Amino acid sequence: ALAPKTPSQTMQQAVAFEVEIKSPCFQSSKSPAQIRLESRTEEERSPKTTDQLQSDLENAAVNRQMFLQARAEKSGSEYAKAKAVSAQTMEAFQELTNQKAQEIDARLSTAEANRAAQAEKVLEKTKNMNLRVESAQKKKGEMDSMDKEASEQSLTTSVEKLSAAEVRRSQLLEETKAKNAAEVAKAKELAAKKQQSLQEMDEKLQEKLSAAEERRNQLLTEQKERAAAAVEHAKQVAATQAEKEASAREELRTEIEAKLAEAESRRLSASPSKTAKSPATPADNRSRALDPTLSPAPAQPDLAPAEPAPAVEGDVPAANASCTIL
């Protein structure tokens, strides 16, 4: 008997699966031109001057003129090529038409010559037949004892053959005329179709030239509008930058004057009796630097430096100089 299974053997073993989960974010591939443009936009650039903008506009006008001239030359060469191809096609078609007409004339001449030769043959046969009939009639007159019925039957047969031959000749002439007329009509139809196709090609070329002219005018208008917008934007940026620089200089001047006044008040409060004999402090030097009308301070002997004044946030480096206390 088989041994009973243990609970551990009857339990199903756990199975693990590894599933690769990709990031849901979409990574778009950028072209080299887009990466280059983004790197240019991230660069810090100083605003261009009016002369630089004027030079850029002149260069753009020269480049635009060269581009338009190249486009005009290319369009002219393409039109000349198309015109030459049209002329060659027209000459080839004219030559083919003339050749076809010559072939048709040759066929008509040959058919007319064949018809004349056949008519001569039929006429000769008819003459021979008439001669035979006349000879038969003579023989009939001479030979009264011959069977009259056989003679009449022979004569009737001869007449019928002559009539059938004439009918066949007429049918052959009609068929030849119909074939020649069909060939002439076919040649005329082919010439008309070729002329219509050439006219349609010329109209398409004219339409393409008109569309190219419209696109060129539209491109010139768009470039002029973009250039005007760029100039206006540059002027606005220059004016804004000038206002910001003037405001920054005015704020810096106000802060420096306030700090100089504060330093002067500290110096006066520290030694009010010897203000006239105190050496020129860095604050005085800054005052003279800001106001060029003041005379430079006289040279003083070196004195022991006192504790430096506490630095004020946003002050210039010269404001951190120590004040001398007597």
Side-chain angles (χ1 to χ4, degrees), residues 95-221:
E95 184 177 359
L96 180 62
T97 305
N98 295 333
Q99 184 177 1
K100 201 71 177 177
Q102 291 176 2
E103 291 178 1
I104 292 171
D105 292 336
R107 289 181 181 179
L108 289 174
S109 301
T110 305
E112 186 66 24
N114 294 333
R115 187 190 65 78
Q118 190 174 4
E120 289 178 358
K121 289 180 180 180
V122 172
L123 183 61
E124 186 177 359
K125 287 180 180 181
T126 306
K127 287 181 179 180
N128 294 331
M129 186 62 66
N130 291 332
L131 291 175
R132 290 179 182 179
V133 170
E134 289 177 358
S135 63
Q137 287 178 355
K138 287 179 180 179
K139 287 180 180 181
K140 180 183 178 183
E142 292 176 355
M143 298 175 66
D144 295 332
S145 63
M146 292 179 61
D147 192 5
K148 186 178 181 180
E149 185 177 356
S151 297
E152 290 178 355
Q153 186 177 1
S154 177
L155 181 60
T156 305
T157 304
S158 299
V159 173
E160 289 178 355
K161 286 181 179 180
L162 287 174
S163 300
E166 186 66 24
V167 170
R168 286 196 300 271
R169 186 183 68 83
S170 301
Q171 290 178 356
L172 183 61
L173 288 176
E174 292 295 333
E175 290 177 358
T176 305
K177 289 181 181 179
K179 288 181 180 179
N180 294 334
E183 289 181 357
V184 171
K186 187 176 180 180
K188 289 182 179 180
E189 184 179 0
L190 181 61
K193 288 182 180 179
K194 196 67 177 179
Q195 185 67 25
Q196 185 178 1
S197 64
L198 291 175
Q199 187 175 0
E200 290 177 356
M201 186 185 297
D202 193 8
E203 291 177 357
K204 288 181 180 179
L205 288 175
Q206 292 295 334
E207 290 177 358
K208 289 181 180 179
L209 289 175
S210 301
E213 185 68 20
E214 291 179 0
R215 289 195 298 272
R216 184 179 69 82
N217 294 332
Q218 186 177 2
L219 181 62
L220 287 175
T221 304

Side-chain angles (χ1 to χ4, degrees), residues 221-283:
T221 304
E222 291 178 357
Q223 289 180 352
K224 287 181 181 179
E225 292 177 355
R226 291 175 182 172
V231 170
E232 186 65 24
H233 181 67
K235 289 181 179 179
Q236 293 178 0
V237 171
T240 306
Q241 190 68 21
E243 291 178 359
K244 288 182 179 179
E245 290 179 357
S247 176
R249 286 196 297 270
E250 186 65 27
E251 290 178 358
L252 182 61
R253 182 181 180 87
T254 304
E255 290 178 0
I256 291 172
E257 288 179 354
K259 292 174 182 178
L260 290 175
E262 184 180 356
E264 184 66 21
S265 64
R266 287 199 303 268
R267 185 181 65 80
L268 292 175
S269 62
S271 56
S273 61
K274 298 180 179 181
T275 304
K277 295 181 181 181
S278 60
T281 61

